[in-house]
Amino acid sequence: MAARLIREASALGIDVRDAKSARVYLIETDAPRIDGAELNLEARLLTDPVTEEAHSGAAPVELDDQIIEVHPLPGVMDPAAQTVERVLSDTFGIEATVSTGWRYDLRGIGAADAKTLADRLLANPVVAGVHTEPFHPGELPKGHAYEPTVTHVPIRDLDDPGLEKLSREGHLFLDLHEMHAVQAEYQRLGRDPTDVELETLAQTWSEHCVHKTLKSRITYRPGETEPSEADPIRWEGRPGHTLNADGSITIDNLLKSTVAAATFELIEEGVDWTLSVFVDNAGIIRFDEDTAVCVKVETHNRPSAIEPYGGAATGTGGCIRDIIGTGLAAKPIASTDVFCVAPPDTTDVPAGCVHPKRVLTEVVAGIRDYGNRMGIPTVNGAVYFDERYIGNPLVYCGCVGVLPADLVSGDAQPGDRIIALGGRTGRDGIHGATFSSAGLTDTHADEFAHAVQIGNAIEEKRVLDAILRARDDKRPAIGQRSSVARPLFHAITDCGAGGFSSAIGEMGERLGAEVHLERAPLKYDGLSYTEIWISEAQERMVLAVPQENVPALQKICDEEGVELADLGHFGTDGAELILNYHGTEVGRLPMSFVHDGIPTPTREAAWNPKPAPKIEPGQTPSVREALLKLLAHPNIASKHFIVRQYDHEVQGNTVIRPLGGPMQRGPIDASVVQPVPGSKKGLAIACGLATGIGDPEVGGDPYEMALAAIDECVRNLVCVGADPDRIAILDNFCWPSCKKPQNLASLVRAAEGCYDGAKAYRTPFISGKDSLNNQFTTEDGRTIEIPPTLLISGVGVVDDVSDCVTMDAKRVGSAVYAVESTSASANVDRLGGSLFARHFRAEAGDPAFPRVDLAEGPKHARAIAAAIRNGLVASCHDCSDGGPLVAVSEMLIAGSSGERTLGAEWSCGDAIGRYWSERASCYIVEVPEEHDDAFKALMDRLGAGWTQIARTNDTGRLSVDGDAVPVTDLAAAWLGTLDW
């Protein structure tokens, strides 16, 4: 810690001559047995005697200039303190309150520099307090008893400004149509809502929970396009679309008419291996006869913008819980992550924003710590940099799980007990769902500090172990024939956005539920009944358990150290949600209004595409200059400094890791895991992101972005050996405010691209998520919108993992082919949206954006899969950021080692577009000499276009058009830029 602080301080221009760090434990107890000997014993439990020493009382000042102590603020989750409290209780019988912190003794700096280090490197004021002397309070903060008072919120007589004020100041974030619907319901009931009823509706109707924009009716008005670039969308005949006389299109339920429609049409056409789509926490596909695989990808953008470490950690923890809560409980086997942040060298950071370098460092640390501590490998991901993410970084967290194929669904039954398992409830996470549905401003870090959650991975691991035992009670192992034995519970879900409100509300949608909120275990006294109901505190699951099975479940939980609470039962007269607190009814709502009462006004979308901006051209660089600069570009350069922080082999089922080649440094296109021990079948995991092609500000089209992202995801999976006929995908839309008709139109176009892409590639969507209103309003009133960003994640079945291929070049004398469409529609020379065009503004080259050929792309995927299956391919890599030359360079970097450095001779002409175009559906394939004829014959027979672009050699150089660039220089550029 101290050495890292010195290094990072130097990067800020602060010269710390020496530093020491120490972990601080504050232990408060009434136990008389705490004496010197006991403290020494406890110190031995808290320290590593090889590297650390312990002091009790006020530790001596190690260095003589500055002291900084960082401690969590009251109410902030402190997992280390929880563990110490448990050890003191279980081992010594001592009941104590514990708080932890960090202390830094610094030499050579003044108070101003110390404050800079604290603010920039050591603490986030949202969750931590900074002290300039040893922190030793008289007593640790404690909650105080809550005096229950049922609060009614006057709403029936409010005018429109009053309704809008109540929505904003009450952190409901409901629009005026929705506030009118709430007002009308309570006018019908003849009473005002209680505070907990109003909060229940706000959570359930939030954009985060109900996806009301994507599910809305939309009138889309197409704009004019250039004759040479006619609208590629064919609107006629699309499900749920009506073409109006004025040229507009009415879309009934955008999500149902595009993403979901593609999936259900594919199922009707024979894609029969989907088991559960769009109805559970995660989508489920059949893996083999006895086993199912489920996948979920979430976003955790708003909390990560305020507190990156906690936001990302609870993002991945929540996604893992989504998997645990899928079907009748799946086992998580792999995680993924994707980050979109501003460039790390950004100097102008608006007030209220965390510096992007710290954002990336901390979100990586949060996902690293949570996944590693739970023992779940993180195997796939990506990073994308754009200055418009400065106030609203995007943090995508994904998880893959496995479960018996006969346990893919469950429903609560009348009379089932509502059982909460896991962590206790606190104020962390209050209004997380509603806060995540609004745009950010420079004041949100102060206003919504209570929405930040800090996770405890060890607690979640205990919960996972207990639930899997309850699921597998008297059942065979995964991958073996299932017996008739059923789990101890009828249904399960996680406490995600909205806490108990959403979890119990969703499980009891048909039946109703009666809840006794005082039974929920609390982290500290003082929570109101409303806070208990809507808190999003982490590591909690809700199960519907038959009364007769509760004792058996309690026994398992006791053995696993998991707290269990019986909160009530499912099933009420009239399917009502009834909330009680210490015998007083504090809320009563009909489930029909909670889930179906939200109004769905028609939204207006207007597409006015902007032409690509005219940029003053720069001088065309040499191949060497362009190649080295592109390889060093943050969007291309190696992310090994992230990947190597993750344990990607912890469960022992990883076949292809995120980095490959003899030195384990190549950017693998997709990872492969073996979900079922002993089986030859594998599961490939990958993603696609094509933000540059869809940016309307520079002439891009979100429709083409969606197609390109699907195409890239499919290519990444196929490159390692996945069967293109067994690929399932997920969508994650992150958009700026769709109250603007232009932004909503870009969302419509992306959704239409999802429909066309899924149908063409026959890749069903099985799950998804959207995060809208991703923008930041600065203190001077500027609004910084993120670029429309669509992440496509995918999984593909690999029939035999021994056939898998990686992207590292392997042989001298191999032919290197670009396998892609050679038709005019392929646009192989187009540079629009490419890093080369944006970075160099070169004089030559076609500035138009590339398009996906929906007939050729799937055909080429199947041709490459056949070549890999027949053993004709030594290595395969998709052509993406930077174009074909960058892809070949990455293959050589990955394939070289200290003993041998491969080289290659480029043989595909000298057109700039041939070097740098980031066209779709392009595979770069290494074919050994002995398979050359067979490979070309197979491509010809399957109708796949191919061009030999290079041949490998032993020169250690990539030779292109007279330039011979040593592979060691390529590797230095690619490996050295972002390592901090």
Side-chain angles (χ1 to χ4, degrees), residues 575-901:
E576 289 189 306
L577 174 64
I578 303 170
L579 304 177
N580 302 290
Y581 186 75
H582 287 293
T584 299
E585 184 176 292
V586 296
R588 180 183 287 260
L589 281 165
M591 284 294 194
S592 58
F593 183 69
V594 172
H595 292 284
D596 302 321
I598 184 171
T600 56
T602 299
R603 301 169 190 257
E604 293 290 326
W607 179 241
N608 295 300
K610 295 183 179 180
K614 294 187 184 213
I615 302 174
E616 289 298 322
Q619 184 176 0
T620 303
S622 68
V623 170
R624 176 187 177 86
E625 177 190 2
L627 196 50
L628 293 178
K629 286 188 176 180
L630 285 174
L631 285 169
H633 191 284
N635 284 339
I636 293 177
S638 172
K639 309 304 183 296
H640 66 274
F641 69 101
I642 294 176
V643 175
R644 287 179 175 153
Q645 295 184 52
Y646 301 145
D647 189 334
H648 41 260
E649 297 183 86
V650 60
Q651 292 187 17
N653 63 359
T654 308
V655 177
I656 295 181
R657 295 164 288 193
L659 296 173
M663 298 179 70
Q664 292 295 291
R665 65 183 187 181
I668 295 297
D669 298 292
S671 292
V672 177
V673 298
Q674 283 181 286
V676 178
S679 170
K680 289 184 177 182
K681 294 174 75 72
L683 189 77
I685 304 167
C687 63
L689 193 70
T691 305
I693 291 176
D695 189 351
E697 292 301 311
V698 294
D701 185 348
Y703 173 80
E704 296 292 349
M705 173 180 72
L707 296 181
I710 292 172
D711 177 79
E712 182 184 23
C713 182
V714 169
R715 278 184 290 148
N716 283 329
L717 294 166
V718 169
C719 279
V720 298
D723 180 355
D725 292 318
R726 289 292 303 276
I727 290 174
I729 57 177
L730 300 85
D731 62 273
N732 282 92
F733 296 88
C734 285
W735 242 250
S737 173
C738 287
K739 292 179 181 178
K740 290 175 61 173
Q742 171 72 359
N743 289 342
L744 182 56
S746 70
L747 181 67
V748 169
R749 294 187 70 82
E752 303 291 347
C754 287
Y755 175 82
D756 286 345
K759 288 298 297 293
Y761 286 87
R762 299 187 65 76
T763 51
F765 284 98
I766 58 172
S767 183
K769 191 73 173 177
D770 61 276
S771 173
L772 308 183
N773 300 308
N774 287 281
Q775 55 196 41
F776 182 87
T777 301
T778 64
E779 59 184 346
D780 61 3
R782 291 180 299 119
T783 297
I784 304 171
E785 296 184 342
I786 69 162
T789 307
L790 171 63
L791 173 68
I792 297 293
S793 303
V795 293
V797 175
V798 178
D799 290 330
D800 188 338
V801 295
S802 63
D803 293 334
C804 285
V805 169
T806 54
M807 52 74 61
D808 47 303
K810 298 178 176 67
R811 302 271 292 271
V812 171
S814 296
V816 179
Y817 293 97
V819 177
E820 59 186 338
S821 174
T822 56
S823 67
S825 61
N827 307 308
V828 295
D829 292 329
R830 290 186 166 193
L831 290 170
S834 69
L835 283 175
F836 179 84
R838 282 179 280 168
H839 195 69
F840 291 107
R841 299 179 297 178
E843 295 175 347
D846 185 347
F849 283 74
R851 287 183 167 180
V852 176
D853 188 319
L854 291 178
E856 297 291 313
K859 181 167 63 176
H860 284 78
R862 291 179 174 86
I864 291 296
I868 291 174
R869 190 167 54 247
N870 289 325
L872 305 178
V873 173
S875 62
C876 188
H877 194 26
D878 85 309
C879 174
S880 56
D881 292 343
L885 259 183
V886 167
V888 171
S889 298
E890 290 173 339
M891 295 170 75
L892 295 174
I893 292 168
S896 298
S897 67
E899 299 176 358
R900 183 188 68 163
T901 303

Side-chain angles (χ1 to χ4, degrees), residues 151-315:
T151 301
H152 289 82
V153 182
I155 191 175
R156 288 176 291 169
D157 298 324
L158 290 180
D159 58 12
D160 287 358
L163 290 172
E164 290 176 326
K165 181 180 179 182
L166 172 60
S167 179
R168 180 60 184 84
E169 293 184 356
H171 296 162
L172 307 177
F173 294 110
L174 298 176
D175 67 23
L176 192 55
H177 291 97
E178 292 154 355
M179 293 299 291
H180 279 154
V182 175
Q183 185 182 53
E185 174 68 8
Y186 282 95
Q187 288 171 340
R188 184 187 69 81
L189 293 173
R191 65 177 178 87
D192 284 317
T194 65
D195 51 353
V196 73
E197 291 172 344
L198 203 54
E199 292 282 5
T200 299
L201 294 170
Q203 309 300 314
T204 308
W205 292 7
S206 69
E207 186 74 69
H208 183 85
C209 291
V210 78
H211 318 297
K212 53 196 175 189
T213 297
L214 272 167
K215 291 181 178 178
S216 65
R217 169 177 288 196
I218 296 172
T219 297
Y220 172 89
R221 304 184 188 280
E224 296 181 0
T225 58
E226 295 293 329
S228 60
E229 292 293 325
D231 192 344
I233 303 178
R234 299 294 173 258
W235 296 98
E236 299 84 0
R238 290 174 177 263
H241 292 58
T242 302
L243 277 62
N244 304 316
D246 63 356
S248 66
I249 299 105
T250 299
I251 306 168
D252 291 321
N253 192 320
L254 179 61
L255 184 65
K256 184 178 179 180
S257 299
T258 56
V259 174
T263 295
F264 291 119
E265 288 176 14
L266 288 170
I267 292 172
E268 290 177 0
E269 294 167 10
V271 177
D272 58 358
W273 39 269
T274 61
L275 297 179
S276 175
V277 295
F278 307 119
V279 294
D280 208 335
N281 288 327
I284 310 176
I285 64 171
R286 183 175 296 280
F287 181 72
D288 60 26
E289 187 175 355
D290 300 304
T291 311
V293 163
C294 55
V295 195
K296 182 62 175 288
V297 180
E298 281 272 14
T299 60
H300 233 228
N301 305 338
R302 305 303 198 286
S304 299
I306 291 178
E307 209 300 287
Y309 179 88
T314 56

